Amino acid sequence: GWRATGFFVPAGELVRVTLSDEFVASGLRLQIGAHLDPALRPPLRRLPQVTREFPVTAATTEVASAVGGLLYLVVPKHFT
């Protein structure tokens, strides 16, 4: 599930997130934004997809988004 970090990623800015080595390759992902409904029908009033996800594959992960948004930690169901 999603876990709010309390941080906001500004539009177009690169943000570095550092986690403990124990979380690397554990299935955790970082997500910017909370819109899961893609805007696919014309006329398009916004970008079709505004949420971005990034797998945690190193202790430091760089994330960015053209539109910005709240930063979430996505925790897989098997994670304890």
Side-chain angles (χ1 to χ4, degrees):
W2 297 4
R3 303 293 186 265
T5 65
F7 293 103
F8 183 83
V9 177
E13 289 195 26
L14 183 67
V15 173
R16 289 181 183 89
V17 178
T18 301
L19 301 173
S20 173
D21 287 336
E22 67 186 288
F23 298 117
V24 174
S26 65
L28 291 175
R29 297 182 316 277
L30 295 166
Q31 176 177 304
I32 301 173
H35 295 285
L36 294 181
D37 55 333
L40 301 176
R41 292 189 212 151
L44 294 180
R45 292 180 177 25
R46 66 168 170 85
L47 294 171
Q49 185 66 39
V50 294
T51 301
R52 297 206 52 204
E53 277 196 14
F54 304 84
V56 176
T57 59
T60 299
T61 304
E62 293 183 339
V63 300
S65 167
V67 296
L70 295 174
L71 180 65
Y72 295 91
L73 184 64
V74 182
V75 181
K77 290 181 181 180
H78 73 272
F79 202 82
T80 56

